[in-house]
Amino acid sequence: MDRPPPYAPPSDFRGVFRTDRLARTLYAEGAGIARCVPAAVAVPADADDVPALARWAKRTGAPLMPRGSGSGMAAGAVGPGIVVDLSRLRHIAPIDTDGRRVRAGAGALRGEIDAAARAVGLRFPVDPSSGAFCTIGGMVGANAAGARTLRFGATRPWVLGLRCVFDDGHEAWVHRERPLPRDVPAVTRLLRATDEVRQGVDPSRLVHTGVRKESSGYGVAAMLAPGGHLVDLLVGSEGTLALFTEVELALIPVAEATATVLATFRTLEAATVCASATREAGATACELLDRTFLDVAATGGPTGIPADAEAVLLIEVEGASGEDVGGLLDAVIDRCRSHGALALHQASEPDAEHRLWALRHAASPILARLAPRLRSMQFIEDGCVPPEQFPAYVRGVRAALSRFGMPGVIFGHAGDAHAHVNPLVDTSAAGWRDRVHGVLAEVSDLTASLGGTLAGEHGDGRLRAPLLHRVWGLEARSVFAHVKEAADPSGVLNPGCKIARPHDEPFTTLRHDPEAPPLPAEAERVLRDIEQRRDWGRFRLAGVGVDGEQRQR
Protein backbone atom coordinates (compact mmCIF):
# COMPACT_ATOMS: atom_id res chain seq x y z
CA MET A 1 0.00 0.00 0.00
CA ASP A 2 2.08 2.96 -1.26
CA ARG A 3 -0.73 5.49 -0.93
CA PRO A 4 -2.21 4.93 2.53
CA PRO A 5 -5.15 6.87 3.89
CA PRO A 6 -4.04 10.29 5.17
CA TYR A 7 -3.78 9.34 8.83
CA ALA A 8 -2.66 12.05 11.24
CA PRO A 9 -1.71 11.07 14.80
CA PRO A 10 -3.92 12.00 17.74
CA SER A 11 -2.92 15.28 19.35
CA ASP A 12 -2.36 13.62 22.74
CA PHE A 13 -0.05 10.90 21.37
CA ARG A 14 3.53 11.53 22.55
CA GLY A 15 5.36 8.82 20.63
CA VAL A 16 6.69 8.52 17.08
CA PHE A 17 4.16 8.41 14.23
CA ARG A 18 5.50 7.88 10.70
CA THR A 19 3.80 7.54 7.33
CA ASP A 20 6.84 7.86 5.05
CA ARG A 21 7.50 4.90 2.77
CA LEU A 22 10.83 3.88 4.31
CA ALA A 23 9.42 3.56 7.82
CA ARG A 24 6.36 1.69 6.57
CA THR A 25 8.26 -0.76 4.38
CA LEU A 26 10.56 -1.67 7.26
CA TYR A 27 7.43 -3.07 8.91
CA ALA A 28 6.16 -4.81 5.77
CA GLU A 29 7.52 -8.21 6.81
CA GLY A 30 7.95 -10.48 9.80
CA ALA A 31 9.52 -13.89 10.19
CA GLY A 32 6.76 -15.52 8.14
CA ILE A 33 6.09 -15.47 4.41
CA ALA A 34 3.81 -12.42 4.08
CA ARG A 35 4.65 -8.96 2.79
CA CYS A 36 2.26 -6.03 3.21
CA VAL A 37 3.26 -2.38 3.58
CA PRO A 38 1.28 -0.88 6.49
CA ALA A 39 -0.46 2.47 6.35
CA ALA A 40 1.57 3.97 9.20
CA VAL A 41 3.84 3.11 12.11
CA ALA A 42 3.12 4.31 15.65
CA VAL A 43 5.66 3.80 18.43
CA PRO A 44 4.15 4.71 21.83
CA ALA A 45 6.53 6.51 24.16
CA ASP A 46 5.36 4.41 27.11
CA ALA A 47 2.41 2.35 28.31
CA ASP A 48 0.39 5.48 29.14
CA ASP A 49 0.64 6.51 25.49
CA VAL A 50 -1.28 3.49 24.18
CA PRO A 51 -4.81 4.52 25.29
CA ALA A 52 -4.52 7.67 23.17
CA LEU A 53 -4.08 5.51 20.08
CA ALA A 54 -7.03 3.31 21.02
CA ARG A 55 -9.35 6.28 21.59
CA TRP A 56 -8.27 7.76 18.27
CA ALA A 57 -8.80 4.45 16.45
CA LYS A 58 -12.28 4.08 17.92
CA ARG A 59 -13.14 7.59 16.77
CA THR A 60 -11.63 7.41 13.28
CA GLY A 61 -11.87 3.71 12.44
CA ALA A 62 -8.10 3.44 12.03
CA PRO A 63 -7.06 -0.25 12.34
CA LEU A 64 -4.35 -0.98 14.93
CA MET A 65 -1.91 -3.91 14.65
CA PRO A 66 0.21 -4.50 17.78
CA ARG A 67 3.75 -5.69 17.12
CA GLY A 68 6.77 -6.71 19.17
CA SER A 69 9.94 -8.11 17.57
CA GLY A 70 8.36 -9.10 14.27
CA SER A 71 9.18 -12.77 14.95
CA GLY A 72 5.64 -14.03 14.37
CA MET A 73 5.15 -16.62 11.63
CA ALA A 74 1.44 -16.16 10.84
CA ALA A 75 1.34 -12.49 9.78
CA GLY A 76 -0.53 -11.35 12.87
CA ALA A 77 1.49 -8.11 12.80
CA VAL A 78 1.90 -7.81 9.02
CA GLY A 79 -1.01 -6.15 7.26
CA PRO A 80 -2.49 -2.96 5.83
CA GLY A 81 -3.33 -1.22 9.12
CA ILE A 82 -1.30 0.91 11.51
CA VAL A 83 1.53 -0.96 13.18
CA VAL A 84 1.69 -0.23 16.92
CA ASP A 85 5.28 -1.03 17.83
CA LEU A 86 5.25 -1.84 21.55
CA SER A 87 8.93 -2.70 21.75
CA ARG A 88 9.79 0.32 23.89
CA LEU A 89 7.71 -1.11 26.74
CA ARG A 90 10.65 -3.22 27.85
CA HIS A 91 10.96 -2.64 31.59
CA ILE A 92 11.31 -5.63 33.92
CA ALA A 93 10.39 -5.13 37.57
CA PRO A 94 12.47 -6.68 40.36
CA ILE A 95 11.73 -10.38 40.67
CA ASP A 96 9.35 -11.30 43.47
CA THR A 97 11.30 -14.29 44.79
CA ASP A 98 8.83 -15.10 47.56
CA GLY A 99 5.84 -15.01 45.23
CA ARG A 100 7.82 -16.51 42.32
CA ARG A 101 6.55 -13.96 39.85
CA VAL A 102 7.68 -11.05 37.72
CA ARG A 103 6.10 -8.07 36.03
CA ALA A 104 7.38 -6.86 32.68
CA GLY A 105 6.43 -4.55 29.86
CA ALA A 106 4.95 -6.15 26.76
CA GLY A 107 8.10 -5.24 24.80
CA ALA A 108 10.51 -7.02 27.15
CA LEU A 109 12.24 -9.97 25.52
CA ARG A 110 11.51 -13.44 26.81
CA GLY A 111 15.26 -14.02 27.07
CA GLU A 112 15.74 -10.89 29.19
CA ILE A 113 12.94 -11.93 31.54
CA ASP A 114 14.34 -15.44 31.92
CA ALA A 115 17.86 -14.11 32.53
CA ALA A 116 16.58 -11.78 35.27
CA ALA A 117 14.73 -14.67 36.88
CA ARG A 118 17.71 -17.03 36.67
CA ALA A 119 19.88 -14.47 38.45
CA VAL A 120 17.80 -15.22 41.58
CA GLY A 121 17.38 -18.96 41.01
CA LEU A 122 14.07 -18.87 39.11
CA ARG A 123 13.04 -19.19 35.45
CA PHE A 124 10.21 -18.71 33.00
CA PRO A 125 9.83 -22.23 31.58
CA VAL A 126 8.05 -21.52 28.27
CA ASP A 127 10.87 -21.37 25.73
CA PRO A 128 10.08 -20.98 22.02
CA SER A 129 13.05 -21.20 19.66
CA SER A 130 12.72 -17.43 19.15
CA GLY A 131 12.99 -16.88 22.91
CA ALA A 132 16.16 -14.82 22.68
CA PHE A 133 14.42 -12.08 20.73
CA CYS A 134 10.62 -12.50 20.85
CA THR A 135 8.72 -10.16 23.16
CA ILE A 136 6.64 -11.39 26.05
CA GLY A 137 3.64 -9.49 24.68
CA GLY A 138 3.91 -11.44 21.45
CA MET A 139 4.22 -14.71 23.32
CA VAL A 140 1.09 -13.96 25.33
CA GLY A 141 -0.76 -12.81 22.22
CA ALA A 142 -0.10 -16.10 20.42
CA ASN A 143 -0.19 -18.41 23.46
CA ALA A 144 3.31 -19.40 22.38
CA ALA A 145 4.88 -22.67 23.38
CA GLY A 146 8.15 -24.45 22.56
CA ALA A 147 10.14 -27.62 23.06
CA ARG A 148 9.51 -27.86 26.81
CA THR A 149 5.76 -27.44 26.54
CA LEU A 150 5.78 -31.21 26.87
CA ARG A 151 6.43 -30.74 30.58
CA PHE A 152 5.37 -27.18 31.35
CA GLY A 153 2.56 -26.33 28.96
CA ALA A 154 2.15 -23.24 26.77
CA THR A 155 2.11 -19.59 27.89
CA ARG A 156 -1.52 -19.37 29.03
CA PRO A 157 -1.28 -20.99 32.51
CA TRP A 158 1.83 -18.96 33.37
CA VAL A 159 0.11 -15.59 32.88
CA LEU A 160 -1.14 -14.21 36.18
CA GLY A 161 -2.34 -10.87 34.88
CA LEU A 162 -2.45 -8.50 31.93
CA ARG A 163 -2.52 -4.73 31.79
CA CYS A 164 -4.92 -4.15 28.92
CA VAL A 165 -5.97 -1.26 26.73
CA PHE A 166 -9.43 -1.99 25.35
CA ASP A 167 -11.14 -0.80 22.18
CA ASP A 168 -12.29 2.56 23.57
CA GLY A 169 -9.04 3.42 25.36
CA HIS A 170 -10.10 2.17 28.79
CA GLU A 171 -7.09 0.73 30.59
CA ALA A 172 -7.23 -1.89 33.35
CA TRP A 173 -5.42 -4.84 34.86
CA VAL A 174 -7.15 -8.18 34.35
CA HIS A 175 -5.62 -10.38 37.02
CA ARG A 176 -6.38 -13.84 38.32
CA GLU A 177 -6.02 -12.70 41.94
CA ARG A 178 -8.11 -9.51 41.77
CA PRO A 179 -11.73 -8.64 41.10
CA LEU A 180 -12.50 -8.10 37.44
CA PRO A 181 -12.72 -4.45 36.27
CA ARG A 182 -16.43 -4.60 35.54
CA ASP A 183 -16.58 -0.83 35.05
CA VAL A 184 -14.77 -1.28 31.73
CA PRO A 185 -17.39 -1.61 28.96
CA ALA A 186 -15.41 -4.17 26.94
CA VAL A 187 -14.97 -6.39 30.00
CA THR A 188 -18.70 -6.24 30.71
CA ARG A 189 -19.49 -7.17 27.12
CA LEU A 190 -16.98 -10.05 27.13
CA LEU A 191 -18.40 -11.47 30.35
CA ARG A 192 -21.92 -11.24 28.95
CA ALA A 193 -20.86 -12.93 25.71
CA THR A 194 -19.05 -15.79 27.44
CA ASP A 195 -21.99 -16.31 29.81
CA GLU A 196 -24.19 -16.72 26.74
CA VAL A 197 -21.75 -19.26 25.36
CA ARG A 198 -21.71 -21.11 28.69
CA GLN A 199 -25.48 -21.48 28.58
CA GLY A 200 -25.82 -22.55 24.97
CA VAL A 201 -22.69 -24.28 23.70
CA ASP A 202 -21.01 -27.57 24.52
CA PRO A 203 -17.41 -26.56 25.42
CA SER A 204 -16.09 -29.73 23.77
CA ARG A 205 -16.97 -28.14 20.42
CA LEU A 206 -14.54 -25.30 21.17
CA VAL A 207 -11.44 -27.51 21.39
CA HIS A 208 -9.72 -30.10 19.25
CA THR A 209 -10.04 -33.16 21.45
CA GLY A 210 -6.74 -34.92 22.09
CA VAL A 211 -4.59 -32.10 20.70
CA ARG A 212 -1.90 -31.14 23.22
CA LYS A 213 -1.02 -27.69 21.87
CA GLU A 214 -3.46 -25.10 20.53
CA SER A 215 -3.07 -21.44 19.60
CA SER A 216 -5.93 -21.27 17.10
CA GLY A 217 -9.27 -19.65 17.83
CA TYR A 218 -10.01 -18.05 21.19
CA GLY A 219 -9.49 -19.66 24.59
CA VAL A 220 -13.18 -19.67 25.40
CA ALA A 221 -13.11 -23.28 26.59
CA ALA A 222 -10.18 -22.51 28.91
CA MET A 223 -12.06 -19.58 30.41
CA LEU A 224 -15.23 -21.62 30.92
CA ALA A 225 -13.42 -24.60 32.43
CA PRO A 226 -13.33 -25.02 36.24
CA GLY A 227 -10.85 -22.49 37.57
CA GLY A 228 -10.88 -20.57 34.29
CA HIS A 229 -10.55 -16.81 34.12
CA LEU A 230 -10.89 -13.93 31.67
CA VAL A 231 -7.08 -13.97 31.47
CA ASP A 232 -7.38 -17.35 29.73
CA LEU A 233 -9.53 -15.81 27.00
CA LEU A 234 -7.24 -12.82 26.48
CA VAL A 235 -4.12 -14.98 26.18
CA GLY A 236 -3.87 -16.13 22.58
CA SER A 237 -6.13 -13.37 21.22
CA GLU A 238 -3.37 -11.85 19.05
CA GLY A 239 -4.26 -8.22 19.70
CA THR A 240 -7.85 -8.65 18.53
CA LEU A 241 -9.58 -8.26 21.93
CA ALA A 242 -7.23 -5.82 23.67
CA LEU A 243 -3.72 -4.41 23.47
CA PHE A 244 -1.37 -5.64 26.20
CA THR A 245 1.10 -3.20 27.72
CA GLU A 246 2.29 -5.17 30.76
CA VAL A 247 2.29 -8.79 31.86
CA GLU A 248 2.68 -10.58 35.20
CA LEU A 249 4.13 -14.08 34.95
CA ALA A 250 4.55 -17.01 37.30
CA LEU A 251 8.06 -18.47 37.68
CA ILE A 252 9.54 -21.75 38.89
CA PRO A 253 12.95 -22.73 40.32
CA VAL A 254 15.85 -23.37 37.97
CA ALA A 255 16.45 -27.05 37.21
CA GLU A 256 19.36 -28.37 39.24
CA ALA A 257 20.36 -31.00 36.70
CA THR A 258 19.51 -32.05 33.13
CA ALA A 259 20.44 -34.78 30.68
CA THR A 260 19.85 -35.39 26.97
CA VAL A 261 19.40 -38.51 24.85
CA LEU A 262 19.72 -38.67 21.07
CA ALA A 263 17.97 -41.78 19.73
CA THR A 264 17.79 -42.92 16.11
CA PHE A 265 15.00 -45.07 14.66
CA ARG A 266 14.55 -47.09 11.50
CA THR A 267 10.90 -46.06 11.08
CA LEU A 268 8.91 -42.90 11.67
CA GLU A 269 6.20 -44.90 13.43
CA ALA A 270 8.66 -46.26 15.99
CA ALA A 271 10.01 -42.78 16.70
CA THR A 272 6.58 -41.18 17.14
CA VAL A 273 5.25 -43.97 19.35
CA CYS A 274 8.42 -43.73 21.42
CA ALA A 275 7.91 -39.97 21.75
CA SER A 276 4.63 -40.50 23.58
CA ALA A 277 6.27 -43.12 25.78
CA THR A 278 9.06 -40.73 26.79
CA ARG A 279 6.49 -38.16 27.80
CA GLU A 280 4.96 -40.73 30.12
CA ALA A 281 8.46 -41.46 31.45
CA GLY A 282 8.86 -37.82 32.50
CA ALA A 283 10.70 -36.21 29.58
CA THR A 284 10.85 -32.42 29.61
CA ALA A 285 11.29 -32.18 25.84
CA CYS A 286 11.14 -34.61 22.92
CA GLU A 287 12.01 -33.28 19.47
CA LEU A 288 11.62 -35.10 16.15
CA LEU A 289 14.00 -34.73 13.19
CA ASP A 290 12.67 -36.75 10.28
CA ARG A 291 14.55 -38.00 7.21
CA THR A 292 13.88 -34.78 5.28
CA PHE A 293 15.56 -32.75 8.03
CA LEU A 294 18.49 -35.16 8.34
CA ASP A 295 19.14 -35.04 4.59
CA VAL A 296 19.35 -31.24 4.62
CA ALA A 297 21.52 -31.20 7.76
CA ALA A 298 23.89 -33.70 6.14
CA THR A 299 24.63 -31.30 3.29
CA GLY A 300 26.48 -29.19 5.84
CA GLY A 301 28.81 -32.04 6.81
CA PRO A 302 28.69 -35.43 8.58
CA THR A 303 25.99 -35.67 11.25
CA GLY A 304 26.83 -39.09 12.64
CA ILE A 305 23.29 -40.31 11.97
CA PRO A 306 23.06 -43.71 10.20
CA ALA A 307 21.91 -43.53 6.59
CA ASP A 308 19.11 -46.02 7.26
CA ALA A 309 17.64 -43.96 10.11
CA GLU A 310 14.21 -42.63 9.24
CA ALA A 311 13.96 -40.34 12.27
CA VAL A 312 15.81 -39.02 15.30
CA LEU A 313 14.45 -38.08 18.71
CA LEU A 314 16.21 -35.56 20.95
CA ILE A 315 14.94 -36.10 24.48
CA GLU A 316 15.66 -34.03 27.58
CA VAL A 317 15.00 -34.78 31.25
CA GLU A 318 15.52 -32.58 34.28
CA GLY A 319 15.36 -32.95 38.04
CA ALA A 320 16.24 -31.54 41.43
CA SER A 321 19.47 -33.55 41.60
CA GLY A 322 21.79 -35.70 39.54
CA GLU A 323 20.24 -38.74 41.16
CA ASP A 324 16.75 -37.70 40.09
CA VAL A 325 17.95 -37.09 36.54
CA GLY A 326 19.73 -40.41 36.47
CA GLY A 327 16.51 -42.24 37.26
CA LEU A 328 14.58 -40.33 34.59
CA LEU A 329 17.38 -40.90 32.08
CA ASP A 330 17.27 -44.64 32.70
CA ALA A 331 13.50 -44.66 32.21
CA VAL A 332 13.74 -42.75 28.91
CA ILE A 333 16.54 -44.98 27.60
CA ASP A 334 14.50 -48.04 28.50
CA ARG A 335 11.54 -46.66 26.51
CA CYS A 336 13.78 -45.97 23.51
CA ARG A 337 15.26 -49.46 23.54
CA SER A 338 11.87 -51.09 23.90
CA HIS A 339 10.70 -49.17 20.80
CA GLY A 340 13.61 -50.35 18.68
CA ALA A 341 16.09 -47.46 18.78
CA LEU A 342 19.00 -48.17 16.42
CA ALA A 343 21.49 -46.17 18.46
CA LEU A 344 21.52 -44.09 21.64
CA HIS A 345 23.79 -41.23 22.66
CA GLN A 346 23.45 -39.59 26.06
CA ALA A 347 24.96 -36.57 27.76
CA SER A 348 24.60 -34.96 31.17
CA GLU A 349 27.27 -32.24 31.03
CA PRO A 350 26.22 -28.87 29.53
CA ASP A 351 28.80 -28.86 26.72
CA ALA A 352 28.01 -32.43 25.72
CA GLU A 353 24.28 -31.72 25.80
CA HIS A 354 24.81 -28.66 23.64
CA ARG A 355 26.61 -30.76 21.03
CA LEU A 356 23.69 -33.16 20.82
CA TRP A 357 21.16 -30.34 20.50
CA ALA A 358 23.31 -28.67 17.81
CA LEU A 359 21.80 -31.09 15.29
CA ARG A 360 18.35 -29.60 15.96
CA HIS A 361 19.60 -26.19 14.86
CA ALA A 362 21.78 -27.36 11.97
CA ALA A 363 19.26 -27.00 9.16
CA SER A 364 18.28 -23.32 9.47
CA PRO A 365 21.54 -21.77 8.19
CA ILE A 366 21.70 -24.39 5.44
CA LEU A 367 18.15 -23.55 4.33
CA ALA A 368 19.06 -19.86 4.23
CA ARG A 369 21.89 -20.63 1.80
CA LEU A 370 19.57 -22.38 -0.67
CA ALA A 371 18.42 -19.02 -2.09
CA PRO A 372 17.88 -17.69 -4.65
CA ARG A 373 16.51 -20.77 -6.46
CA LEU A 374 14.87 -22.47 -3.49
CA ARG A 375 13.07 -20.51 -0.82
CA SER A 376 12.11 -21.89 2.56
CA MET A 377 8.45 -20.93 2.97
CA GLN A 378 6.74 -21.68 6.25
CA PHE A 379 3.08 -21.74 5.27
CA ILE A 380 2.20 -25.16 6.77
CA GLU A 381 4.57 -24.82 9.69
CA ASP A 382 2.42 -25.31 12.77
CA GLY A 383 0.15 -28.36 12.52
CA CYS A 384 -0.62 -30.33 15.67
CA VAL A 385 -2.70 -33.53 15.83
CA PRO A 386 -3.68 -36.11 18.46
CA PRO A 387 -0.53 -38.16 19.23
CA GLU A 388 -1.89 -41.37 17.76
CA GLN A 389 -2.33 -39.54 14.43
CA PHE A 390 1.16 -38.06 14.27
CA PRO A 391 2.76 -40.69 11.97
CA ALA A 392 -0.15 -40.33 9.55
CA TYR A 393 0.22 -36.56 9.64
CA VAL A 394 3.96 -36.56 8.88
CA ARG A 395 3.56 -39.12 6.09
CA GLY A 396 0.60 -37.18 4.70
CA VAL A 397 2.62 -33.96 4.62
CA ARG A 398 5.44 -35.77 2.85
CA ALA A 399 2.99 -37.14 0.29
CA ALA A 400 1.46 -33.71 -0.34
CA LEU A 401 4.87 -32.14 -0.89
CA SER A 402 5.82 -34.97 -3.22
CA ARG A 403 2.61 -34.68 -5.27
CA PHE A 404 3.32 -31.03 -5.91
CA GLY A 405 7.00 -31.58 -6.64
CA MET A 406 8.09 -29.59 -3.60
CA PRO A 407 10.91 -30.76 -1.30
CA GLY A 408 10.54 -29.88 2.36
CA VAL A 409 12.03 -30.23 5.81
CA ILE A 410 10.00 -31.69 8.68
CA PHE A 411 10.87 -31.46 12.36
CA GLY A 412 9.13 -30.51 15.55
CA HIS A 413 7.85 -31.32 18.98
CA ALA A 414 7.17 -35.04 18.68
CA GLY A 415 6.14 -35.46 22.30
CA ASP A 416 3.23 -33.12 21.62
CA ALA A 417 2.57 -34.49 18.08
CA HIS A 418 3.36 -31.04 16.71
CA ALA A 419 5.30 -30.62 13.46
CA HIS A 420 7.08 -27.71 11.83
CA VAL A 421 7.39 -27.93 8.05
CA ASN A 422 9.59 -25.82 5.78
CA PRO A 423 8.57 -26.39 2.15
CA LEU A 424 11.36 -25.47 -0.26
CA VAL A 425 9.88 -23.60 -3.22
CA ASP A 426 11.57 -22.97 -6.54
CA THR A 427 10.27 -19.48 -7.27
CA SER A 428 11.87 -19.49 -10.71
CA ALA A 429 9.64 -22.36 -11.91
CA ALA A 430 6.37 -21.68 -13.69
CA GLY A 431 3.26 -22.35 -11.59
CA TRP A 432 5.00 -22.22 -8.24
CA ARG A 433 2.24 -20.12 -6.66
CA ASP A 434 -0.39 -22.69 -7.65
CA ARG A 435 1.71 -25.42 -6.07
CA VAL A 436 2.01 -23.43 -2.84
CA HIS A 437 -1.78 -23.00 -2.68
CA GLY A 438 -2.24 -26.69 -3.53
CA VAL A 439 0.00 -27.89 -0.71
CA LEU A 440 -1.65 -25.50 1.74
CA ALA A 441 -5.15 -26.75 0.84
CA GLU A 442 -4.18 -30.42 0.94
CA VAL A 443 -2.35 -30.20 4.28
CA SER A 444 -5.22 -28.18 5.78
CA ASP A 445 -7.65 -30.93 4.78
CA LEU A 446 -5.26 -33.60 6.11
CA THR A 447 -5.05 -31.80 9.45
CA ALA A 448 -8.83 -31.59 9.68
CA SER A 449 -9.28 -35.28 8.80
CA LEU A 450 -6.96 -36.23 11.68
CA GLY A 451 -8.74 -34.01 14.22
CA GLY A 452 -5.88 -31.53 14.43
CA THR A 453 -5.26 -27.80 14.53
CA LEU A 454 -3.45 -25.63 12.01
CA ALA A 455 -1.82 -23.59 14.80
CA GLY A 456 -0.13 -25.41 17.64
CA GLU A 457 1.90 -22.47 18.93
CA HIS A 458 2.23 -19.67 16.34
CA GLY A 459 -1.34 -18.34 16.28
CA ASP A 460 -3.79 -17.88 13.42
CA GLY A 461 -2.67 -14.46 12.26
CA ARG A 462 -3.76 -13.43 8.78
CA LEU A 463 -2.22 -16.57 7.30
CA ARG A 464 -4.64 -19.04 8.88
CA ALA A 465 -7.68 -16.93 9.70
CA PRO A 466 -9.21 -17.59 6.24
CA LEU A 467 -8.61 -21.33 6.75
CA LEU A 468 -10.38 -21.77 10.10
CA HIS A 469 -13.48 -23.18 8.40
CA ARG A 470 -11.38 -26.21 7.45
CA VAL A 471 -10.62 -27.22 11.03
CA TRP A 472 -13.28 -25.53 13.18
CA GLY A 473 -17.00 -26.26 12.99
CA LEU A 474 -19.61 -23.60 12.37
CA GLU A 475 -20.57 -23.45 16.05
CA ALA A 476 -17.00 -22.77 17.18
CA ARG A 477 -16.47 -20.14 14.51
CA SER A 478 -19.72 -18.44 15.50
CA VAL A 479 -18.58 -18.34 19.12
CA PHE A 480 -15.22 -16.85 18.13
CA ALA A 481 -16.93 -14.18 16.03
CA HIS A 482 -19.32 -13.40 18.91
CA VAL A 483 -16.40 -12.91 21.29
CA LYS A 484 -14.60 -10.64 18.83
CA GLU A 485 -17.72 -8.53 18.28
CA ALA A 486 -18.22 -8.18 22.04
CA ALA A 487 -14.69 -6.96 22.66
CA ASP A 488 -14.27 -4.81 19.57
CA PRO A 489 -17.58 -3.79 17.98
CA SER A 490 -15.85 -1.14 15.86
CA GLY A 491 -13.46 -3.72 14.43
CA VAL A 492 -10.32 -1.63 14.91
CA LEU A 493 -8.21 -4.14 16.88
CA ASN A 494 -6.08 -6.11 14.43
CA PRO A 495 -8.84 -6.70 11.85
CA GLY A 496 -8.35 -9.74 9.66
CA CYS A 497 -6.21 -11.45 12.26
CA LYS A 498 -7.83 -14.54 13.81
CA ILE A 499 -11.25 -13.65 12.42
CA ALA A 500 -11.20 -13.41 8.62
CA ARG A 501 -13.13 -10.78 6.74
CA PRO A 502 -15.01 -11.44 3.48
CA HIS A 503 -12.65 -12.11 0.60
CA ASP A 504 -9.57 -12.46 2.86
CA GLU A 505 -6.99 -14.93 1.56
CA PRO A 506 -4.16 -16.67 3.45
CA PHE A 507 -1.65 -14.51 1.60
CA THR A 508 -1.45 -12.24 -1.39
CA THR A 509 2.06 -10.82 -1.74
CA LEU A 510 4.91 -13.03 -0.51
CA ARG A 511 8.25 -11.65 0.56
CA HIS A 512 9.96 -14.37 -1.52
CA ASP A 513 8.03 -13.54 -4.71
CA PRO A 514 10.52 -12.44 -7.40
CA GLU A 515 7.70 -10.52 -9.09
CA ALA A 516 6.66 -8.57 -5.99
CA PRO A 517 6.96 -4.78 -6.25
CA PRO A 518 10.43 -3.72 -5.12
CA LEU A 519 10.97 -2.13 -1.74
CA PRO A 520 13.19 0.91 -1.19
CA ALA A 521 16.84 -0.17 -1.38
CA GLU A 522 17.57 0.76 2.23
CA ALA A 523 14.57 -1.16 3.53
CA GLU A 524 15.42 -4.17 1.35
CA ARG A 525 18.96 -4.22 2.70
CA VAL A 526 17.85 -4.14 6.34
CA LEU A 527 15.15 -6.79 5.85
CA ARG A 528 17.44 -9.18 3.98
CA ASP A 529 20.14 -8.76 6.62
CA ILE A 530 17.64 -9.60 9.34
CA GLU A 531 16.40 -12.62 7.39
CA GLN A 532 19.92 -13.92 6.79
CA ARG A 533 20.85 -13.59 10.44
CA ARG A 534 17.46 -14.92 11.59
CA ASP A 535 17.72 -11.99 13.97
CA TRP A 536 14.18 -10.65 14.07
CA GLY A 537 14.99 -8.93 17.36
CA ARG A 538 16.72 -6.25 15.32
CA PHE A 539 13.29 -4.87 14.49
CA ARG A 540 13.11 -3.91 18.12
CA LEU A 541 16.73 -3.36 19.06
CA ALA A 542 17.58 -1.12 16.13
CA GLY A 543 14.32 0.80 16.24
CA VAL A 544 13.84 -0.09 12.58
CA GLY A 545 14.15 3.44 11.33
CA VAL A 546 11.39 4.97 13.43
CA ASP A 547 13.44 6.42 16.27
CA GLY A 548 13.93 10.17 16.19
CA GLU A 549 12.18 13.41 16.90
CA GLN A 550 10.05 13.63 13.78
CA ARG A 551 6.49 12.49 14.48
CA GLN A 552 5.29 12.35 10.90
CA ARG A 553 6.74 12.77 7.43
Side-chain angles (χ1 to χ4, degrees), residues 141-156:
N143 189 32
R148 291 168 183 84
T149 303
L150 185 65
R151 172 78 173 273
F152 299 112
T155 300
R156 179 173 282 120

Side-chain angles (χ1 to χ4, degrees), residues 16-28:
V16 175
F17 193 97
R18 296 269 296 267
T19 59
D20 58 288
R21 190 163 183 255
L22 175 59
R24 292 186 294 116
T25 52
L26 283 168
Y27 286 81

Side-chain angles (χ1 to χ4, degrees), residues 109-135:
L109 301 188
R110 184 267 172 200
E112 294 174 339
I113 294 170
D114 190 58
R118 286 178 182 272
V120 294
L122 298 172
R123 60 177 161 152
F124 179 55
V126 186
D127 60 338
S129 59
S130 60
F133 51 81
C134 69
T135 63

Side-chain angles (χ1 to χ4, degrees), residues 9 119 207 243 253 368 408:
V207 296
L243 306 181

Side-chain angles (χ1 to χ4, degrees), residues 279-514:
R279 180 178 185 270
E280 296 164 1
T284 305
C286 183
E287 298 289 281
L288 170 77
L289 314 178
D290 101 320
R291 184 72 258 168
T292 60
F293 184 102
L294 299 173
D295 287 343
V296 169
T299 65
T303 62
I305 304 300
D308 60 346
E310 179 78 1
V312 165
L313 292 181
L314 273 166
I315 308 157
E316 182 187 80
V317 296
E318 68 170 57
S321 66
E323 183 178 353
D324 288 344
V325 166
L328 290 168
L329 188 62
D330 289 343
V332 165
I333 289 174
D334 179 67
R335 298 298 198 284
C336 291
R337 285 176 174 156
S338 67
H339 286 85
L342 294 174
L344 293 163
H345 304 274
Q346 63 187 76
S348 55
E349 295 298 325
D351 288 346
E353 287 190 81
H354 178 76
R355 286 193 293 272
L356 290 184
W357 279 95
L359 178 63
R360 169 67 169 77
H361 306 291
S364 292
I366 297 171
L367 291 173
R369 291 197 296 269
L370 293 174
R373 189 178 69 83
L374 289 180
R375 296 288 191 168
S376 177
M377 293 192 186
Q378 297 94 335
F379 57 90
I380 50 170
E381 93 295 350
D382 205 26
C384 188
V385 297
E388 66 274 12
Q389 302 289 1
F390 196 49
Y393 179 78
V394 174
R395 293 205 181 280
V397 170
R398 283 183 181 174
L401 292 172
S402 177
R403 269 190 291 278
F404 286 92
M406 192 179 295
V409 177
I410 302 173
F411 57 102
H413 313 304
D416 288 316
H418 178 208
H420 295 315
V421 184
N422 288 18
L424 305 177
V425 182
D426 184 352
T427 57
S428 66
W432 68 267
R433 295 176 188 82
D434 291 338
R435 288 192 288 277
V436 167
H437 284 282
V439 170
L440 178 60
E442 189 162 322
V443 172
S444 296
D445 288 342
L446 169 70
T447 306
S449 72
L450 299 175
T453 177
L454 296 174
E457 63 185 9
H458 294 161
D460 293 315
R462 289 175 178 78
L463 172 63
R464 284 180 278 269
L467 300 172
L468 294 196
H469 66 281
R470 295 181 180 267
V471 293
W472 289 107
L474 177 60
E475 189 169 34
R477 286 182 282 122
S478 298
V479 167
F480 299 156
H482 185 48
V483 167
K484 168 64 174 172
E485 173 66 21
D488 180 28
S490 299
V492 296
L493 298 181
N494 220 359
C497 176
K498 197 161 283 291
I499 301 294
R501 298 159 298 182
H503 311 301
D504 276 354
E505 298 179 6
F507 44 79
T508 51
T509 302
L510 302 177
R511 63 186 175 95
H512 294 302
D513 191 339

Side-chain angles (χ1 to χ4, degrees), residues 221-241:
M223 177 181 173
L224 298 182
H229 193 275
L230 183 58
V231 167
D232 295 311
L233 177 63
L234 294 170
V235 173
S237 60
E238 300 185 63
T240 63
L241 304 183

Side-chain angles (χ1 to χ4, degrees), residues 2 30 50 63 67 96 102 173 207 221 224 302 311 314 340 364 389 392 470 529:
D2 290 334
V50 179
R67 179 169 175 140
D96 178 353
V102 62
W173 271 94
V207 296
L224 298 182
L314 273 166
S364 292
Q389 302 289 1
R470 295 181 180 267
D529 181 54

